Amino acid sequence: MIVEMRTGAAPEEIDSVVQRAKSLELDVQLNVGTEKTVVAILGSNTGQVSTDMFAVLPGVESVTRIMKPYKLASREVKAEDSLVSINGIEVGGKRIIVMAGPCAVESEEQLMEAARAVKDAKASILRGGAFKPRTSPFSFQGLEKAGLELLAKVKEQFDIPVITEVVDSHYVNMISKVADILQVGSRNMQNFTLLTALGKSKRPVVLKRGFSCTVTEWLTAADYLLAEGNSQVILCERGIRTFEDSTRFSLDISAIPVIKKSSHLPVIVDPSHAAGHYSLVPAIAKAAVAAGADGLLIEVHPNPKEALVDGLQSLTPSNFTKLMEELRLIAKSVGRYI
Amino acid sequence: MIVEMRTGAAPEEIDSVVQRAKSLELDVQLNVGTEKTVVAILGSNTGQVSTDMFAVLPGVESVTRIMKPYKLASREVKAEDSLVSINGIEVGGKRIIVMAGPCAVESEEQLMEAARAVKDAKASILRGGAFKPRTSPFSFQGLEKAGLELLAKVKEQFDIPVITEVVDSHYVNMISKVADILQVGSRNMQNFTLLTALGKSKRPVVLKRGFSCTVTEWLTAADYLLAEGNSQVILCERGIRTFEDSTRFSLDISAIPVIKKSSHLPVIVDPSHAAGHYSLVPAIAKAAVAAGADGLLIEVHPNPKEALVDGLQSLTPSNFTKLMEELRLIAKSVGRYI
Amino acid sequence: MIVEMRTGAAPEEIDSVVQRAKSLELDVQLNVGTEKTVVAILGSNTGQVSTDMFAVLPGVESVTRIMKPYKLASREVKAEDSLVSINGIEVGGKRIIVMAGPCAVESEEQLMEAARAVKDAKASILRGGAFKPRTSPFSFQGLEKAGLELLAKVKEQFDIPVITEVVDSHYVNMISKVADILQVGSRNMQNFTLLTALGKSKRPVVLKRGFSCTVTEWLTAADYLLAEGNSQVILCERGIRTFEDSTRFSLDISAIPVIKKSSHLPVIVDPSHAAGHYSLVPAIAKAAVAAGADGLLIEVHPNPKEALVDGLQSLTPSNFTKLMEELRLIAKSVGRYI
Amino acid sequence: MIVEMRTGAAPEEIDSVVQRAKSLELDVQLNVGTEKTVVAILGSNTGQVSTDMFAVLPGVESVTRIMKPYKLASREVKAEDSLVSINGIEVGGKRIIVMAGPCAVESEEQLMEAARAVKDAKASILRGGAFKPRTSPFSFQGLEKAGLELLAKVKEQFDIPVITEVVDSHYVNMISKVADILQVGSRNMQNFTLLTALGKSKRPVVLKRGFSCTVTEWLTAADYLLAEGNSQVILCERGIRTFEDSTRFSLDISAIPVIKKSSHLPVIVDPSHAAGHYSLVPAIAKAAVAAGADGLLIEVHPNPKEALVDGLQSLTPSNFTKLMEELRLIAKSVGRYI
């Protein structure tokens, strides 16, 4: 941490900064310039100490954090790439993993048709929401437990792993009985009670980025899972909120190389929620693979025109099959496969 | 809802839009222009029907919502201002209500000194967090139940109502036993499980705006509380996330007149979290009162230099007392009082 | 500037940072921690040296600027408030200056009626655009020279100073013959050719904030004017672009205390462009005065229903007169007058 | 345009909307619902009529534009892709065009080395800035005319077309004598005087997106060039301003398919300015090609460590050569070539 003193700060003001650092068992070095004094506070745990602890002291102009606030998710703690294994399917390796299916489980027939489409196109994992966090209380909220039962049934019938969203800490056990991957939605990225419960569960988790959270906050949220001993963490970029209104969200493509540089965790991309329109999904999905994403989470619905939720951003089975073929070519061009 | 057809859309495409509207029991009117056909879909519940239901149909260019997605929070449903009553203190009337205290409850002594400062400055309600949602798992997470007990004790001793945050739906009952107002933090504005539980509790709620949620999404979240029969809802603007980095968040001052125009609910302002620095709090607090806010939620700490959380944005008791005097003058100039 | 070296950086990498700093005649201090080495680079002109000069060197993890990039606009260079004088009217003192009038000059009659309204309400300065930067080439672009002539005529007739926008460096001389204040629009805040020409002109300038520029970039743009010897600079906050869509822009009310803290320049507020709707203008104008703004720039049109540009955000003369009365009360409550 | 009347609007209020539409020679259709009346205003030029013309009328709740405000840049006006030809090099066809070189022209040696690197890697066009718009007046502003002369010299020697930035309408002629493509920088996207001058020049133009402008505003700015009869327009996405701070700007990858859907103009991507760091450039460049971009604008410097401007985001010649090989594979996988 770098504490910049105000021009003309008194010696006792500088001293109080030094004393506070020492009381926190941190190393201190003074930099006395002609105009300003700068106090460098070093040590392995400065990332966990609040900058406010120094910024509130008299004579301090500003405090800048040098250590990142996240720790366990960082490449500095673990240099090699982490792999997450789901029933033998590895996320984070050479193979790019495609998870696909409807936004919401609507009926047995719908889920089975979706599963068939996903299987036929050789994607790896079936997605489908049973519990849906909806903006309005008057919208369809998902089939809930009945939806979970349908997922269990289709999973067995098609022998395909399943990912579904968990919206409350008290559902973790129940959903873990069915789902192979538990998904944390964008609105829950900083629901720390939920993250702690998922950390304890030790099940594979897809942690979607909050639509207004920085990459740093996202990796710090991942620390909640890792700190409980759950290393099965997959990050998922799904678009951030910006002023641009031609898409629902703006997919932050740069987040992929940024994550690869600063973290060991695998990262996948959800092009459907970012785009908000099926016609934009293929271009974004291809970009994600080219940029180095380890997988994709794509909405596919047997009949988007009749979808209860997010029909506009869902691909039809035939469009999905076509996209999978295109993605295979891109994967190959970056030395990977699907 | 306004459905714009693509230039040259076929008659059967237009017809399928009309049929879907009729199947949802909505009124339809066709507008056949020289270049484009526009289908107006009218009716009292179009706000609850997803635009996707029409956007997915062939030949449709775009769909624009006319009715707002929120209903119960709107002025159209209830024209007169709502008042929320907390132990006889009315929020939403001529009196501007100031809630103040430390970000986190740290100790009995700290909370008592804060309560004394709040009382002395003639503010109405004591704030203090027992459960703290923190960005990093390695930061201080609040005193939790012990903090709640301290709140109960100080509340009785100083005879002052208390507001505290609830971070999980399963804490609602426990916290309701102590707190007069339950606060939903910014990160939980779209935690719909929590909102539903709070709606059922019928206790006064302060619903903080999600730092990246629009006013429309905020009022739609308020519908979750109102739909369960809880009309004791106070909105709280606390700054939104923008590109500007000289403050922690950008306080959206315009949200106050926007809310007053479109909703009947009272709205207060938290200048402390928006500013992130105590020196900016007075100017923002004064602006909020001038713009028509019904109250303020201000961080005050007996000794900000020793605060465990958010010390930099906390006022000292003497600065708070000075601010209260200034606010009284502003309140008077807009025909209100504190 | 603080240069953080990568964990395990080689001594020669650290040395190349030190050497570069010395070659730029900057002071250097080494901070050798157990995990990382941090190089503090101090000196009066680090604000002008690019961080890239160090960030490109091998072994460097990150570079953080400590000195602000602006200089002449800062309080550190000039501690006391600057006053800008327009025909004897002082901006930046105890009096709050209101500039008002139509967005665009449309006709002699319209401008005269507006001037009369502005005079009657005892505002100080008449605004009116002759050259209009319009988003679409097919929109009304202003009366241009004819508009300027109307401004000259009305200015003389009503004996009132005039502010108008300049959109190109080659118009500065021509417009200076008529206007008492030259306005730089939001889209031109970083039109450095224009800023340099205005700096040389030595005329009073209102520098509107770019709708996506930080306060730091804004003050750095002011340095372009000040560096040419023009100290007659007034800043104008007019709303920034965010995700919120209930207003045209989000007025950054916190920018007022931030500017007052870091700069000596006067700052005014344009509530009309931020709001985009006349009904929101009064609340924002009142908030601006309460927060410490030195003036306001308000759109007033004798007949908004017939306005060629921005009618929706213009006040009628009677609404403007009413607002002026309310603003006088607020001004008094913060120890100022209008 | 869709005009929604307030609940309970009077018949004469509805009539005044109808009359105004008719006076503008627009078609009108009334939609009388049980709760609200909606007036649909149709006709070929509603995109050019301001929504304010109706929003100011009494009884109007809101006005929604249906026609896009841009016209000449739209696919509706021209369905087939436009090609821009630069000395026989076609932008917008099957070949992906790479423009590369230093941010700023610094010296003859630097520019020649850069040109050699660009030629060796088989890129098509040399970039280099002579006039640099810099945030601070104390930063290096470019070699200006001397830089232009160097561009002319190197261009001839290496027989390679050149792109350079124009920052003021009065430089268009001078720069046109040397440059094959004139670049409009992000800060000048809405400098309408400059756009008009470039439109008249009929020279190929790269129009960079304003870092806070929507795609719609960007295409509307392109209309300024097209309206003057200049059809040689190439769009360039270079990152937008968001809250994310791990990159300088957030590259809006979705803008590529959005542009391809709504406009006939070619679109290229500048990964260097978006990323701000050379290590992120390859991933973003590859994503751009996969998403359908027609070209790239990449910063390459013979010695980034000594660059006067933007060294951190510049590739070395060897890194650039390596990237070109990778890009060729991606191009092939999407049916194109470099």
Side-chain angles (χ1 to χ4, degrees):
Chain A
M1 218 177 298
I2 300 298
V3 178
E4 178 201 7
M5 304 302 296
R6 234 167 259 153
T7 309
E12 54 273 23
E13 291 176 332
I14 296 168
D15 195 51
S16 76
V17 170
V18 172
Q19 292 315 319
R20 174 153 290 186
K22 287 188 175 161
S23 76
L24 293 162
E25 298 184 2
L26 299 165
D27 289 347
V28 189
Q29 300 216 14
L30 275 191
N31 300 272
V32 185
T34 48
E35 296 200 16
K36 299 210 161 188
T37 293
V38 170
V39 188
I41 296 171
L42 306 167
S44 59
N45 59 342
T46 56
Q48 271 70 55
V49 174
S50 150
T51 54
D52 272 20
M53 295 294 285
F54 295 95
V56 291
L57 296 177
V60 171
E61 172 89 21
S62 73
V63 183
T64 309
R65 189 187 283 291
I66 280 186
M67 299 286 280
K68 294 280 169 40
Y70 55 87
K71 194 167 167 176
L72 306 175
S74 77
R75 277 246 183 248
E76 302 197 342
V77 160
K78 180 165 181 286
E80 67 278 16
D81 287 350
S82 286
L83 295 176
V84 175
S85 180
I86 296 129
N87 297 2
I89 300 168
E90 247 175 21
V91 183
K94 274 217 150 185
R95 183 169 169 208
I96 287 160
I97 304 304
V98 180
M99 312 179 183
C103 187
V105 175
E106 294 169 16
S107 69
E108 183 169 348
E109 194 194 348
Q110 173 243 23
L111 191 62
M112 280 180 56
E113 281 189 48
R116 195 170 296 122
V118 168
K119 270 269 177 179
D120 286 354
K122 300 201 177 69
S124 310
I125 291 164
L126 177 68
R127 64 155 288 162
F131 295 84
K132 299 300 305 169
R134 301 303 302 281
T135 310
S136 162
F138 307 112
S139 301
F140 171 63
Q141 309 275 322
L143 294 183
E144 307 194 340
K145 284 184 194 176
L148 214 54
E149 283 159 23
L150 289 178
L151 279 171
K153 191 169 174 183
V154 170
K155 171 188 157 138
E156 195 177 340
Q157 199 169 338
F158 285 83
D159 187 27
I160 187 167
V162 151
I163 173 171
T164 200
E165 180 166 354
V166 51
V167 297
D168 188 278
S169 59
H170 294 76
Y171 296 169
V172 171
N173 283 340
M174 178 178 70
I175 293 177
S176 291
K177 283 175 194 143
V178 172
D180 302 278
I181 312 178
L182 301 172
Q183 176 186 316
V184 179
S186 190
R187 285 164 185 79
N188 278 316
M189 191 200 88
Q190 294 192 320
N191 181 336
F192 303 118
T193 313
L194 176 59
L195 296 183
T196 302
L198 285 166
K200 288 192 210 299
S201 84
K202 308 282 194 305
R203 306 282 304 193
V205 173
V206 160
L207 180 63
K208 285 197 156 187
R209 177 179 184 180
F211 58 70
S212 279
C213 291
T214 62
V215 169
T216 296
E217 290 169 334
W218 189 15
L219 291 173
T220 309
D223 263 10
Y224 266 93
L225 296 161
L226 298 166
E228 298 290 343
N230 188 348
S231 60
Q232 303 282 86
V233 179
I234 302 164
L235 303 167
C236 179
E237 161 66 31
R238 46 76 74 205
I240 57 175
R241 184 156 273 183
T242 71
F243 61 84
E244 174 58 39
D245 58 4
S246 64
T247 43
R248 256 176 98 172
F249 294 92
S250 298
L251 191 101
D252 183 11
I253 194 79
S254 317
I256 302 170
V258 168
I259 292 277
K260 287 290 168 198
K261 199 175 164 184
S262 36
S263 177
H264 53 86
L265 296 172
V267 59
I268 66 172
V269 164
D270 172 350
S272 309
H273 278 87
H277 198 282
Y278 67 91
S279 66
L280 307 172
V281 168
I284 301 175
K286 288 189 265 183
V289 172
D294 297 305
L296 292 165
L297 186 61
I298 300 177
E299 297 205 352
V300 176
H301 193 286
N303 187 2
K305 281 193 276 181
E306 303 300 331
L308 294 180
V309 185
D310 286 347
L312 193 58
Q313 68 197 34
S314 295
L315 298 184
T316 58
S318 71
N319 279 339
F320 177 60
T321 303
K322 184 166 168 289
L323 174 58
M324 285 292 281
E325 282 160 21
E326 294 173 353
L327 290 173
R328 268 183 204 103
L329 297 174
I330 307 264
K332 201 181 157 196
S333 76
V334 293
R336 301 178 82 169
Y337 67 100
I338 292 185
Chain B
M1 219 177 299
I2 300 298
V3 179
E4 178 201 7
M5 305 301 298
R6 235 166 258 156
T7 308
E12 54 273 23
E13 291 176 332
I14 297 167
D15 195 50
S16 77
V17 170
V18 172
Q19 291 314 319
R20 174 154 287 187
K22 286 188 174 160
S23 76
L24 294 162
E25 297 184 2
L26 299 165
D27 289 346
V28 189
Q29 299 216 12
L30 276 190
N31 300 273
V32 186
T34 47
E35 296 198 18
K36 300 212 161 186
T37 294
V38 171
V39 188
I41 296 172
L42 307 167
S44 59
N45 60 341
T46 57
Q48 270 70 54
V49 174
S50 149
T51 53
D52 273 20
M53 296 293 286
F54 295 94
V56 293
L57 297 176
V60 171
E61 173 88 23
S62 72
V63 183
T64 309
R65 189 186 282 290
I66 281 186
M67 299 287 279
K68 294 279 169 40
Y70 55 86
K71 197 168 163 174
L72 305 176
S74 77
R75 278 247 182 245
E76 301 197 344
V77 160
K78 180 165 181 286
E80 67 278 19
D81 287 351
S82 286
L83 295 175
V84 175
S85 180
I86 296 129
N87 296 1
I89 300 168
E90 245 175 22
V91 184
K94 273 216 150 187
R95 182 170 169 205
I96 287 161
I97 304 303
V98 179
M99 311 179 184
C103 187
V105 175
E106 295 169 16
S107 69
E108 183 168 348
E109 195 194 349
Q110 173 241 25
L111 192 61
M112 279 181 56
E113 281 189 49
R116 195 170 295 120
V118 168
K119 269 268 177 179
D120 286 354
K122 300 202 177 69
S124 310
I125 291 164
L126 177 67
R127 64 154 290 163
F131 295 83
K132 300 299 306 170
R134 301 303 301 279
T135 309
S136 162
F138 307 113
S139 302
F140 172 63
Q141 310 275 322
L143 294 184
E144 307 195 339
K145 283 184 194 177
L148 215 53
E149 284 159 23
L150 289 178
L151 278 171
K153 190 169 175 183
V154 171
K155 171 191 158 138
E156 196 177 337
Q157 199 169 336
F158 285 83
D159 187 28
I160 187 168
V162 152
I163 173 172
T164 200
E165 182 166 353
V166 50
V167 297
D168 189 276
S169 58
H170 294 76
Y171 296 168
V172 171
N173 282 340
M174 178 179 67
I175 293 178
S176 291
K177 283 175 195 145
V178 172
D180 302 279
I181 313 177
L182 301 173
Q183 176 185 318
V184 179
S186 190
R187 284 163 184 78
N188 278 317
M189 190 200 90
Q190 294 192 320
N191 182 336
F192 303 118
T193 314
L194 175 59
L195 295 182
T196 302
L198 285 167
K200 287 192 210 301
S201 84
K202 308 280 192 311
R203 306 283 303 194
V205 173
V206 160
L207 179 64
K208 284 197 158 187
R209 179 178 182 181
F211 58 69
S212 279
C213 292
T214 62
V215 169
T216 296
E217 289 169 334
W218 188 14
L219 292 173
T220 310
D223 264 10
Y224 267 92
L225 296 161
L226 298 166
E228 298 290 343
N230 188 348
S231 60
Q232 303 282 86
V233 179
I234 301 164
L235 303 167
C236 179
E237 161 65 31
R238 46 77 75 206
I240 58 174
R241 185 155 272 184
T242 71
F243 61 85
E244 175 58 38
D245 57 5
S246 64
T247 43
R248 254 176 102 173
F249 294 92
S250 299
L251 191 101
D252 183 10
I253 193 78
S254 316
I256 302 169
V258 168
I259 292 278
K260 288 290 169 196
K261 200 175 164 183
S262 36
S263 176
H264 53 87
L265 296 172
V267 59
I268 66 172
V269 164
D270 173 350
S272 309
H273 278 88
H277 198 282
Y278 68 90
S279 66
L280 307 172
V281 168
I284 300 175
K286 287 189 267 184
V289 172
D294 298 304
L296 293 164
L297 186 61
I298 299 177
E299 296 205 351
V300 176
H301 193 287
N303 188 1
K305 281 192 275 182
E306 303 299 331
L308 294 180
V309 184
D310 286 346
L312 193 58
Q313 68 197 33
S314 294
L315 296 184
T316 58
S318 71
N319 279 338
F320 177 60
T321 303
K322 184 167 169 289
L323 175 58
M324 285 292 282
E325 283 161 23
E326 293 173 354
L327 290 173
R328 267 181 205 104
L329 297 174
I330 307 263
K332 200 180 158 198
S333 77
V334 293
R336 300 177 83 167
Y337 67 101
I338 291 187
Chain C
M1 219 175 299
I2 300 298
V3 179
E4 178 201 7
M5 304 302 296
R6 235 167 259 154
T7 308
E12 54 272 23
E13 291 177 331
I14 297 169
D15 195 51
S16 77
V17 170
V18 172
Q19 293 313 320
R20 174 152 289 186
K22 287 189 174 158
S23 77
L24 293 163
E25 298 184 2
L26 299 166
D27 289 346
V28 189
Q29 300 216 13
L30 275 192
N31 301 273
V32 185
T34 48
E35 295 199 16
K36 300 212 159 186
T37 293
V38 170
V39 188
I41 297 171
L42 307 166
S44 61
N45 59 342
T46 56
Q48 270 71 56
V49 174
S50 151
T51 53
D52 272 19
M53 296 294 285
F54 295 95
V56 291
L57 296 177
V60 172
E61 172 90 19
S62 74
V63 183
T64 308
R65 187 187 283 293
I66 279 185
M67 298 286 280
K68 293 281 168 40
Y70 55 86
K71 196 168 164 172
L72 305 176
S74 76
R75 276 246 183 248
E76 301 197 344
V77 160
K78 181 165 182 284
E80 68 279 17
D81 286 350
S82 286
L83 295 175
V84 175
S85 179
I86 297 129
N87 297 1
I89 300 168
E90 248 175 19
V91 184
K94 272 218 151 185
R95 183 172 168 204
I96 287 161
I97 305 303
V98 179
M99 313 180 182
C103 186
V105 175
E106 294 170 16
S107 71
E108 182 168 349
E109 195 194 348
Q110 174 243 22
L111 191 61
M112 280 180 56
E113 281 189 50
R116 194 169 297 123
V118 169
K119 270 272 180 178
D120 286 354
K122 299 203 178 68
S124 309
I125 290 164
L126 178 67
R127 65 155 288 162
F131 295 84
K132 298 302 304 170
R134 300 305 301 281
T135 310
S136 162
F138 307 113
S139 301
F140 171 63
Q141 309 276 322
L143 293 183
E144 306 194 341
K145 285 185 195 176
L148 215 53
E149 283 159 23
L150 289 178
L151 277 171
K153 191 168 173 182
V154 170
K155 170 189 157 137
E156 194 175 343
Q157 200 168 336
F158 285 82
D159 188 28
I160 187 167
V162 152
I163 173 171
T164 200
E165 181 166 353
V166 50
V167 296
D168 189 277
S169 59
H170 293 78
Y171 296 170
V172 171
N173 283 341
M174 178 178 71
I175 293 177
S176 291
K177 282 175 196 143
V178 171
D180 302 278
I181 313 177
L182 301 172
Q183 177 186 318
V184 179
S186 189
R187 284 162 185 78
N188 278 317
M189 190 201 90
Q190 294 192 318
N191 181 337
F192 303 118
T193 314
L194 176 59
L195 295 183
T196 303
L198 285 167
K200 288 191 209 300
S201 84
K202 309 282 193 306
R203 306 285 301 195
V205 172
V206 160
L207 179 64
K208 283 197 157 187
R209 178 179 183 180
F211 58 69
S212 279
C213 292
T214 62
V215 169
T216 296
E217 290 169 334
W218 189 14
L219 292 173
T220 310
D223 263 10
Y224 266 93
L225 296 161
L226 298 166
E228 298 290 344
N230 188 348
S231 60
Q232 303 281 87
V233 179
I234 301 163
L235 303 168
C236 179
E237 161 65 31
R238 46 77 74 205
I240 58 174
R241 184 156 275 184
T242 71
F243 61 85
E244 174 57 39
D245 58 5
S246 65
T247 44
R248 257 177 99 173
F249 295 91
S250 298
L251 191 101
D252 183 11
I253 194 79
S254 317
I256 302 170
V258 168
I259 292 277
K260 288 290 167 196
K261 197 174 164 183
S262 36
S263 176
H264 52 87
L265 296 172
V267 58
I268 66 172
V269 164
D270 173 352
S272 309
H273 278 87
H277 197 282
Y278 67 90
S279 66
L280 307 172
V281 168
I284 301 174
K286 288 189 267 184
V289 172
D294 297 304
L296 293 164
L297 185 61
I298 299 177
E299 298 205 350
V300 175
H301 193 288
N303 188 1
K305 282 193 276 182
E306 302 300 331
L308 294 180
V309 185
D310 286 346
L312 192 58
Q313 67 197 35
S314 295
L315 296 183
T316 58
S318 71
N319 279 339
F320 177 60
T321 303
K322 184 167 168 290
L323 175 58
M324 285 293 281
E325 282 160 22
E326 295 172 352
L327 290 173
R328 267 181 207 106
L329 297 175
I330 308 264
K332 203 182 156 197
S333 76
V334 292
R336 300 177 82 167
Y337 66 99
I338 293 188
Chain D
M1 217 175 300
I2 300 298
V3 179
E4 177 201 8
M5 304 301 297
R6 234 166 259 155
T7 308
E12 53 273 23
E13 291 176 330
I14 297 168
D15 195 51
S16 76
V17 170
V18 173
Q19 292 314 319
R20 174 154 287 188
K22 287 191 175 157
S23 75
L24 294 162
E25 297 183 3
L26 299 165
D27 288 346
V28 189
Q29 299 217 12
L30 275 191
N31 300 274
V32 185
T34 47
E35 296 199 17
K36 298 211 161 187
T37 294
V38 171
V39 188
I41 297 172
L42 307 167
S44 59
N45 60 342
T46 55
Q48 271 71 54
V49 174
S50 148
T51 53
D52 272 20
M53 295 293 285
F54 295 95
V56 292
L57 296 176
V60 171
E61 172 90 23
S62 73
V63 183
T64 310
R65 188 187 283 292
I66 280 185
M67 298 287 279
K68 293 281 169 41
Y70 57 86
K71 195 168 166 173
L72 305 176
S74 76
R75 278 248 182 245
E76 301 197 343
V77 160
K78 182 166 179 286
E80 67 277 17
D81 286 351
S82 285
L83 295 175
V84 175
S85 180
I86 297 129
N87 296 2
I89 299 169
E90 247 175 21
V91 184
K94 274 217 149 187
R95 184 172 168 204
I96 286 161
I97 305 304
V98 179
M99 314 181 181
C103 186
V105 174
E106 294 170 17
S107 70
E108 183 168 349
E109 195 194 350
Q110 173 242 23
L111 192 61
M112 279 180 56
E113 281 189 50
R116 195 169 297 122
V118 169
K119 269 270 177 180
D120 286 354
K122 299 204 176 69
S124 309
I125 290 164
L126 177 67
R127 63 155 290 162
F131 295 84
K132 298 302 305 170
R134 300 305 302 281
T135 309
S136 163
F138 307 113
S139 302
F140 171 62
Q141 309 276 320
L143 294 183
E144 307 194 339
K145 283 184 195 177
L148 215 53
E149 283 160 23
L150 289 178
L151 277 172
K153 192 169 174 182
V154 171
K155 170 190 157 136
E156 196 176 339
Q157 200 168 334
F158 285 82
D159 189 28
I160 187 167
V162 151
I163 173 171
T164 200
E165 182 166 353
V166 50
V167 296
D168 189 278
S169 59
H170 292 78
Y171 296 170
V172 172
N173 282 341
M174 179 179 68
I175 293 177
S176 290
K177 282 174 193 142
V178 172
D180 301 278
I181 312 178
L182 301 172
Q183 177 185 317
V184 179
S186 190
R187 284 164 185 79
N188 278 316
M189 191 200 90
Q190 293 192 320
N191 181 336
F192 303 117
T193 313
L194 175 59
L195 295 183
T196 303
L198 285 166
K200 287 192 210 302
S201 83
K202 309 280 193 307
R203 307 283 304 193
V205 173
V206 161
L207 180 64
K208 284 198 157 186
R209 179 179 181 180
F211 58 68
S212 278
C213 291
T214 61
V215 169
T216 296
E217 289 169 336
W218 188 16
L219 292 173
T220 309
D223 264 10
Y224 266 93
L225 296 161
L226 298 167
E228 298 290 342
N230 187 349
S231 60
Q232 304 282 87
V233 179
I234 301 164
L235 303 167
C236 180
E237 162 65 31
R238 45 79 73 206
I240 58 174
R241 184 155 274 183
T242 71
F243 62 85
E244 174 57 38
D245 58 5
S246 64
T247 44
R248 254 176 100 174
F249 294 92
S250 299
L251 191 100
D252 183 11
I253 194 78
S254 316
I256 302 170
V258 168
I259 292 277
K260 287 291 170 196
K261 198 175 165 184
S262 38
S263 176
H264 52 88
L265 296 171
V267 58
I268 66 172
V269 164
D270 173 349
S272 309
H273 278 87
H277 197 282
Y278 67 91
S279 65
L280 307 172
V281 168
I284 302 175
K286 288 189 267 184
V289 172
D294 298 304
L296 293 164
L297 186 61
I298 298 177
E299 298 206 350
V300 176
H301 193 287
N303 188 0
K305 282 193 274 180
E306 303 299 332
L308 295 180
V309 185
D310 286 347
L312 192 58
Q313 68 197 35
S314 295
L315 297 184
T316 58
S318 71
N319 279 339
F320 178 59
T321 303
K322 184 165 168 289
L323 174 58
M324 285 293 281
E325 283 160 23
E326 294 173 353
L327 290 173
R328 266 181 207 104
L329 297 175
I330 308 263
K332 201 180 157 198
S333 77
V334 292
R336 302 177 81 167
Y337 66 100
I338 292 187

